[in-house]
Amino acid sequence: MPSSPIAPSNYFDEADLDALVREFSERLRRDTSLRPVLDRLIGNRWEDAEATVGAFLRATLFMLDCPQLDDDWFDRAALALDQTALERLGDILLDCALVALPLHSAAVIADIGDALTRQLGDVVALQGAARQDRLLQVRGRLRAGALMARL
């Protein structure tokens, strides 16, 4: 398990993170309210999406590198999702974390999910140029590791 000398004292086992990502993916695939938008965003590339989620969580949790974001995908997601969908994604992530991880680790994942939901919620609440400006700000913050400082 990678760790950073300045990382907080939360421990995540690689296998547990893999289990979390698999559980999250499976539940998203079964969710009838999210599946249509996810089909447009992910298509049949679920394995790639799982790898991306896993890499984002590892970068955020282990603080070894800033998270990588695909600008095109991130922009399409911000346009396709609404506040209800974001909240549903956050709820599913929390449920999966509680199933796959010890309680203290699940709480950290819940914090990450809440922060993402709030930041993306700020984007989807806006229209036009204001939305595009906020999208660029959020994308830049996430890429710079803004969630890493929250842990």
Side-chain angles (χ1 to χ4, degrees):
M1 159 182 55
S3 65
S4 167
I6 60 169
S9 61
N10 290 310
Y11 298 98
F12 290 86
D13 184 83
E14 291 282 338
D16 288 342
L17 285 176
D18 292 340
L20 168 65
V21 171
R22 279 192 308 275
E23 182 72 20
F24 186 56
S25 177
E26 288 174 20
R27 289 199 190 186
L28 290 178
R29 292 180 208 211
R30 291 190 311 253
D31 190 282
T32 57
S33 65
L34 291 173
R35 187 60 195 253
V37 71
L38 293 175
D39 282 344
R40 288 191 309 272
L41 289 171
I42 297 171
N44 64 355
R45 297 180 316 273
W46 283 92
E47 188 173 314
D48 293 341
E50 291 168 8
T52 300
V53 169
F56 182 86
L57 287 175
R58 282 174 176 79
T60 301
L61 294 168
F62 301 142
M63 297 185 216
L64 298 175
D65 195 10
C66 288
Q68 301 299 308
L69 296 174
D70 178 322
D71 292 347
D72 179 56
W73 187 89
F74 192 77
D75 293 354
R76 287 187 300 116
L79 290 172
L81 298 170
D82 60 16
Q83 190 62 41
T84 302
L86 290 172
E87 290 172 7
R88 182 74 182 129
L89 284 166
D91 290 345
I92 292 172
L93 180 62
L94 173 59
D95 289 346
C96 294
L98 290 170
V99 168
L101 301 171
L103 188 57
H104 66 283
S105 298
V108 173
I109 297 298
D111 285 344
I112 291 170
D114 288 346
L116 281 170
T117 299
R118 275 193 310 279
Q119 290 191 30
L120 290 173
D122 289 345
V123 173
V124 302
L126 300 171
Q127 297 295 321
R131 184 178 191 152
Q132 186 62 29
D133 288 345
R134 183 62 55 95
L135 175 63
L136 293 172
Q137 290 172 357
V138 168
R139 194 171 63 198
R141 285 186 203 136
L142 292 175
R143 184 177 281 122
L147 296 181
M148 296 163 80
R150 298 181 51 80
L151 302 178

